mmCIF file of all heavy atoms in Angstrom:
data_model
loop_
_atom_site.group_PDB
_atom_site.id
_atom_site.type_symbol
_atom_site.label_atom_id
_atom_site.label_comp_id
_atom_site.label_asym_id
_atom_site.label_seq_id
_atom_site.Cartn_x
_atom_site.Cartn_y
_atom_site.Cartn_z
ATOM 1 N N VAL A 994 -4.439 3.627 15.102
ATOM 2 C CA VAL A 994 -4.691 4.858 15.850
ATOM 3 C C VAL A 994 -5.466 5.851 14.989
ATOM 4 O O VAL A 994 -6.461 6.447 15.433
ATOM 5 C CB VAL A 994 -3.359 5.471 16.347
ATOM 6 C CG1 VAL A 994 -3.557 6.882 16.858
ATOM 7 C CG2 VAL A 994 -2.750 4.596 17.426
ATOM 8 N N VAL A 995 -5.047 6.025 13.749
ATOM 9 C CA VAL A 995 -5.716 6.981 12.870
ATOM 10 C C VAL A 995 -7.132 6.512 12.532
ATOM 11 O O VAL A 995 -8.064 7.312 12.487
ATOM 12 C CB VAL A 995 -4.881 7.228 11.592
ATOM 13 C CG1 VAL A 995 -5.642 8.071 10.601
ATOM 14 C CG2 VAL A 995 -3.566 7.892 11.949
ATOM 15 N N THR A 996 -7.311 5.208 12.301
ATOM 16 C CA THR A 996 -8.646 4.687 12.016
ATOM 17 C C THR A 996 -9.578 4.907 13.202
ATOM 18 O O THR A 996 -10.730 5.312 13.023
ATOM 19 C CB THR A 996 -8.579 3.189 11.670
ATOM 20 O OG1 THR A 996 -7.710 3.017 10.561
ATOM 21 C CG2 THR A 996 -9.943 2.640 11.336
ATOM 22 N N ALA A 997 -9.104 4.669 14.405
ATOM 23 C CA ALA A 997 -9.922 4.898 15.598
ATOM 24 C C ALA A 997 -10.260 6.382 15.741
ATOM 25 O O ALA A 997 -11.402 6.735 16.063
ATOM 26 C CB ALA A 997 -9.195 4.389 16.839
ATOM 27 N N ALA A 998 -9.283 7.244 15.482
ATOM 28 C CA ALA A 998 -9.536 8.684 15.578
ATOM 29 C C ALA A 998 -10.551 9.130 14.523
ATOM 30 O O ALA A 998 -11.461 9.921 14.819
ATOM 31 C CB ALA A 998 -8.230 9.460 15.414
ATOM 32 N N LEU A 999 -10.417 8.634 13.300
ATOM 33 C CA LEU A 999 -11.381 8.985 12.250
ATOM 34 C C LEU A 999 -12.767 8.452 12.585
ATOM 35 O O LEU A 999 -13.779 9.117 12.337
ATOM 36 C CB LEU A 999 -10.923 8.413 10.905
ATOM 37 C CG LEU A 999 -9.790 9.140 10.215
ATOM 38 C CD1 LEU A 999 -9.316 8.339 9.007
ATOM 39 C CD2 LEU A 999 -10.213 10.522 9.789
ATOM 40 N N PHE A 1000 -12.831 7.273 13.146
ATOM 41 C CA PHE A 1000 -14.109 6.673 13.497
ATOM 42 C C PHE A 1000 -14.807 7.497 14.574
ATOM 43 O O PHE A 1000 -16.001 7.771 14.489
ATOM 44 C CB PHE A 1000 -13.888 5.240 13.959
ATOM 45 C CG PHE A 1000 -15.147 4.443 14.087
ATOM 46 C CD1 PHE A 1000 -15.870 4.087 12.965
ATOM 47 C CD2 PHE A 1000 -15.598 4.049 15.332
ATOM 48 C CE1 PHE A 1000 -17.034 3.350 13.074
ATOM 49 C CE2 PHE A 1000 -16.753 3.312 15.450
ATOM 50 C CZ PHE A 1000 -17.476 2.964 14.327
ATOM 51 N N MET A 1001 -14.061 7.918 15.604
ATOM 52 C CA MET A 1001 -14.655 8.733 16.661
ATOM 53 C C MET A 1001 -15.024 10.118 16.140
ATOM 54 O O MET A 1001 -16.057 10.671 16.502
ATOM 55 C CB MET A 1001 -13.687 8.835 17.844
ATOM 56 C CG MET A 1001 -13.556 7.529 18.607
ATOM 57 S SD MET A 1001 -12.602 7.648 20.126
ATOM 58 C CE MET A 1001 -11.032 8.230 19.551
ATOM 59 N N TYR A 1002 -14.186 10.682 15.286
ATOM 60 C CA TYR A 1002 -14.446 12.017 14.749
ATOM 61 C C TYR A 1002 -15.680 12.015 13.855
ATOM 62 O O TYR A 1002 -16.437 12.975 13.826
ATOM 63 C CB TYR A 1002 -13.223 12.506 13.972
ATOM 64 C CG TYR A 1002 -13.362 13.915 13.464
ATOM 65 C CD1 TYR A 1002 -13.264 14.987 14.341
ATOM 66 C CD2 TYR A 1002 -13.594 14.173 12.118
ATOM 67 C CE1 TYR A 1002 -13.389 16.282 13.890
ATOM 68 C CE2 TYR A 1002 -13.719 15.466 11.658
ATOM 69 C CZ TYR A 1002 -13.609 16.520 12.550
ATOM 70 O OH TYR A 1002 -13.749 17.794 12.095
ATOM 71 N N SER A 1003 -15.916 10.930 13.146
ATOM 72 C CA SER A 1003 -17.052 10.886 12.232
ATOM 73 C C SER A 1003 -18.374 10.909 12.993
ATOM 74 O O SER A 1003 -19.374 11.386 12.480
ATOM 75 C CB SER A 1003 -16.985 9.654 11.344
ATOM 76 O OG SER A 1003 -17.212 8.486 12.089
ATOM 77 N N PHE A 1004 -18.388 10.408 14.229
ATOM 78 C CA PHE A 1004 -19.611 10.428 15.005
ATOM 79 C C PHE A 1004 -19.816 11.754 15.734
ATOM 80 O O PHE A 1004 -20.927 12.078 16.104
ATOM 81 C CB PHE A 1004 -19.618 9.297 16.032
ATOM 82 C CG PHE A 1004 -19.908 7.969 15.427
ATOM 83 C CD1 PHE A 1004 -18.991 6.948 15.507
ATOM 84 C CD2 PHE A 1004 -21.095 7.744 14.752
ATOM 85 C CE1 PHE A 1004 -19.265 5.722 14.949
ATOM 86 C CE2 PHE A 1004 -21.375 6.518 14.191
ATOM 87 C CZ PHE A 1004 -20.456 5.502 14.286
ATOM 88 N N SER A 1005 -18.759 12.524 15.910
ATOM 89 C CA SER A 1005 -18.900 13.705 16.748
ATOM 90 C C SER A 1005 -19.034 15.010 15.959
ATOM 91 O O SER A 1005 -19.943 15.785 16.198
ATOM 92 C CB SER A 1005 -17.717 13.813 17.711
ATOM 93 O OG SER A 1005 -16.518 13.969 16.978
ATOM 94 N N ALA A 1006 -18.158 15.261 15.000
ATOM 95 C CA ALA A 1006 -18.062 16.613 14.472
ATOM 96 C C ALA A 1006 -18.608 16.802 13.056
ATOM 97 O O ALA A 1006 -19.059 17.872 12.711
ATOM 98 C CB ALA A 1006 -16.605 17.061 14.495
ATOM 99 N N MET A 1007 -18.554 15.784 12.248
ATOM 100 C CA MET A 1007 -18.885 15.964 10.837
ATOM 101 C C MET A 1007 -20.389 15.892 10.612
ATOM 102 O O MET A 1007 -21.127 15.332 11.395
ATOM 103 C CB MET A 1007 -18.189 14.891 9.990
ATOM 104 C CG MET A 1007 -16.685 14.911 10.102
ATOM 105 S SD MET A 1007 -15.945 16.364 9.382
ATOM 106 C CE MET A 1007 -15.876 15.865 7.700
ATOM 107 N N ASP A 1008 -20.810 16.474 9.495
ATOM 108 C CA ASP A 1008 -22.217 16.373 9.129
ATOM 109 C C ASP A 1008 -22.536 14.949 8.691
ATOM 110 O O ASP A 1008 -21.664 14.160 8.387
ATOM 111 C CB ASP A 1008 -22.562 17.366 8.017
ATOM 112 C CG ASP A 1008 -21.792 17.095 6.735
ATOM 113 O OD1 ASP A 1008 -21.050 16.096 6.670
ATOM 114 O OD2 ASP A 1008 -21.944 17.882 5.792
ATOM 115 N N GLN A 1009 -23.789 14.631 8.675
ATOM 116 C CA GLN A 1009 -24.187 13.264 8.353
ATOM 117 C C GLN A 1009 -24.866 13.192 6.985
ATOM 118 O O GLN A 1009 -25.790 12.420 6.779
ATOM 119 C CB GLN A 1009 -25.114 12.722 9.448
ATOM 120 C CG GLN A 1009 -24.453 12.597 10.802
ATOM 121 C CD GLN A 1009 -23.260 11.658 10.794
ATOM 122 O OE1 GLN A 1009 -23.267 10.634 10.146
ATOM 123 N NE2 GLN A 1009 -22.211 12.033 11.516
ATOM 124 N N SER A 1010 -24.414 13.999 6.034
ATOM 125 C CA SER A 1010 -24.958 13.929 4.682
ATOM 126 C C SER A 1010 -24.434 12.672 3.997
ATOM 127 O O SER A 1010 -23.510 12.020 4.465
ATOM 128 C CB SER A 1010 -24.556 15.172 3.888
ATOM 129 O OG SER A 1010 -23.166 15.182 3.682
ATOM 130 N N ARG A 1011 -25.013 12.357 2.857
ATOM 131 C CA ARG A 1011 -24.590 11.151 2.143
ATOM 132 C C ARG A 1011 -23.143 11.258 1.669
ATOM 133 O O ARG A 1011 -22.379 10.313 1.782
ATOM 134 C CB ARG A 1011 -25.511 10.892 0.963
ATOM 135 C CG ARG A 1011 -26.851 10.430 1.389
ATOM 136 C CD ARG A 1011 -27.690 10.096 0.206
ATOM 137 N NE ARG A 1011 -29.028 9.767 0.657
ATOM 138 C CZ ARG A 1011 -29.837 9.002 0.003
ATOM 139 N NH1 ARG A 1011 -29.478 8.484 -1.145
ATOM 140 N NH2 ARG A 1011 -31.031 8.743 0.475
ATOM 141 N N ILE A 1012 -22.789 12.401 1.121
ATOM 142 C CA ILE A 1012 -21.410 12.557 0.642
ATOM 143 C C ILE A 1012 -20.447 12.590 1.828
ATOM 144 O O ILE A 1012 -19.329 12.079 1.747
ATOM 145 C CB ILE A 1012 -21.256 13.799 -0.266
ATOM 146 C CG1 ILE A 1012 -19.892 13.822 -0.950
ATOM 147 C CG2 ILE A 1012 -21.435 15.074 0.506
ATOM 148 C CD1 ILE A 1012 -19.798 12.893 -2.103
ATOM 149 N N GLY A 1013 -20.885 13.144 2.953
ATOM 150 C CA GLY A 1013 -20.047 13.145 4.152
ATOM 151 C C GLY A 1013 -19.803 11.737 4.665
ATOM 152 O O GLY A 1013 -18.693 11.389 5.064
ATOM 153 N N ASP A 1014 -20.856 10.922 4.633
ATOM 154 C CA ASP A 1014 -20.694 9.517 5.024
ATOM 155 C C ASP A 1014 -19.764 8.788 4.070
ATOM 156 O O ASP A 1014 -18.955 7.955 4.483
ATOM 157 C CB ASP A 1014 -22.052 8.814 5.051
ATOM 158 C CG ASP A 1014 -22.900 9.226 6.239
ATOM 159 O OD1 ASP A 1014 -22.331 9.772 7.206
ATOM 160 O OD2 ASP A 1014 -24.125 8.994 6.192
ATOM 161 N N PHE A 1015 -19.870 9.089 2.780
ATOM 162 C CA PHE A 1015 -18.987 8.467 1.790
ATOM 163 C C PHE A 1015 -17.532 8.839 2.049
ATOM 164 O O PHE A 1015 -16.645 7.980 2.010
ATOM 165 C CB PHE A 1015 -19.400 8.891 0.377
ATOM 166 C CG PHE A 1015 -18.494 8.376 -0.699
ATOM 167 C CD1 PHE A 1015 -18.539 7.048 -1.069
ATOM 168 C CD2 PHE A 1015 -17.581 9.211 -1.321
ATOM 169 C CE1 PHE A 1015 -17.698 6.556 -2.054
ATOM 170 C CE2 PHE A 1015 -16.746 8.739 -2.301
ATOM 171 C CZ PHE A 1015 -16.800 7.409 -2.668
ATOM 172 N N VAL A 1016 -17.291 10.112 2.334
ATOM 173 C CA VAL A 1016 -15.924 10.569 2.608
ATOM 174 C C VAL A 1016 -15.368 9.885 3.854
ATOM 175 O O VAL A 1016 -14.214 9.449 3.864
ATOM 176 C CB VAL A 1016 -15.884 12.110 2.738
ATOM 177 C CG1 VAL A 1016 -14.558 12.583 3.289
ATOM 178 C CG2 VAL A 1016 -16.156 12.759 1.394
ATOM 179 N N HIS A 1017 -16.192 9.756 4.891
ATOM 180 C CA HIS A 1017 -15.731 9.052 6.106
ATOM 181 C C HIS A 1017 -15.408 7.597 5.791
ATOM 182 O O HIS A 1017 -14.440 7.047 6.306
ATOM 183 C CB HIS A 1017 -16.778 9.113 7.208
ATOM 184 C CG HIS A 1017 -17.101 10.484 7.662
ATOM 185 N ND1 HIS A 1017 -16.144 11.418 7.978
ATOM 186 C CD2 HIS A 1017 -18.283 11.101 7.844
ATOM 187 C CE1 HIS A 1017 -16.712 12.540 8.331
ATOM 188 N NE2 HIS A 1017 -18.025 12.378 8.252
ATOM 189 N N GLY A 1018 -16.231 6.993 4.957
ATOM 190 C CA GLY A 1018 -15.972 5.607 4.559
ATOM 191 C C GLY A 1018 -14.690 5.470 3.775
ATOM 192 O O GLY A 1018 -13.935 4.516 3.962
ATOM 193 N N VAL A 1019 -14.420 6.440 2.902
ATOM 194 C CA VAL A 1019 -13.179 6.411 2.123
ATOM 195 C C VAL A 1019 -11.976 6.566 3.048
ATOM 196 O O VAL A 1019 -10.993 5.833 2.938
ATOM 197 C CB VAL A 1019 -13.187 7.515 1.040
ATOM 198 C CG1 VAL A 1019 -11.810 7.704 0.444
ATOM 199 C CG2 VAL A 1019 -14.191 7.180 -0.047
ATOM 200 N N GLN A 1020 -12.068 7.534 3.955
ATOM 201 C CA GLN A 1020 -10.955 7.753 4.880
ATOM 202 C C GLN A 1020 -10.694 6.515 5.740
ATOM 203 O O GLN A 1020 -9.547 6.084 5.896
ATOM 204 C CB GLN A 1020 -11.260 8.950 5.787
ATOM 205 C CG GLN A 1020 -11.250 10.267 5.058
ATOM 206 C CD GLN A 1020 -11.747 11.395 5.933
ATOM 207 O OE1 GLN A 1020 -12.564 11.203 6.823
ATOM 208 N NE2 GLN A 1020 -11.251 12.594 5.670
ATOM 209 N N THR A 1021 -11.735 5.947 6.283
ATOM 210 C CA THR A 1021 -11.579 4.752 7.110
ATOM 211 C C THR A 1021 -11.116 3.572 6.265
ATOM 212 O O THR A 1021 -10.276 2.777 6.693
ATOM 213 C CB THR A 1021 -12.903 4.421 7.821
ATOM 214 O OG1 THR A 1021 -13.337 5.577 8.535
ATOM 215 C CG2 THR A 1021 -12.733 3.280 8.785
ATOM 216 N N GLY A 1022 -11.642 3.459 5.055
ATOM 217 C CA GLY A 1022 -11.276 2.364 4.168
ATOM 218 C C GLY A 1022 -9.818 2.394 3.751
ATOM 219 O O GLY A 1022 -9.183 1.343 3.597
ATOM 220 N N ILE A 1023 -9.284 3.584 3.556
ATOM 221 C CA ILE A 1023 -7.862 3.691 3.194
ATOM 222 C C ILE A 1023 -6.997 3.113 4.309
ATOM 223 O O ILE A 1023 -6.099 2.301 4.066
ATOM 224 C CB ILE A 1023 -7.477 5.153 2.893
ATOM 225 C CG1 ILE A 1023 -8.047 5.572 1.535
ATOM 226 C CG2 ILE A 1023 -5.960 5.340 2.908
ATOM 227 C CD1 ILE A 1023 -7.857 7.033 1.208
ATOM 228 N N PHE A 1024 -7.285 3.499 5.546
ATOM 229 C CA PHE A 1024 -6.476 2.992 6.650
ATOM 230 C C PHE A 1024 -6.758 1.526 6.937
ATOM 231 O O PHE A 1024 -5.861 0.789 7.339
ATOM 232 C CB PHE A 1024 -6.658 3.851 7.900
ATOM 233 C CG PHE A 1024 -5.851 5.096 7.849
ATOM 234 C CD1 PHE A 1024 -6.432 6.309 7.571
ATOM 235 C CD2 PHE A 1024 -4.481 5.051 8.025
ATOM 236 C CE1 PHE A 1024 -5.680 7.456 7.499
ATOM 237 C CE2 PHE A 1024 -3.714 6.185 7.962
ATOM 238 C CZ PHE A 1024 -4.311 7.402 7.696
#
Side-chain angles (χ1 to χ4, degrees):
V994 168
V995 173
T996 302
L999 284 172
F1000 191 69
M1001 289 188 301
Y1002 184 74
S1003 69
F1004 284 119
S1005 63
M1007 300 292 277
D1008 62 4
Q1009 296 300 321
S1010 67
R1011 288 184 185 206
I1012 190 78
D1014 287 342
F1015 176 74
V1016 169
H1017 298 312
V1019 167
Q1020 291 172 330
T1021 306
I1023 286 174
F1024 280 104

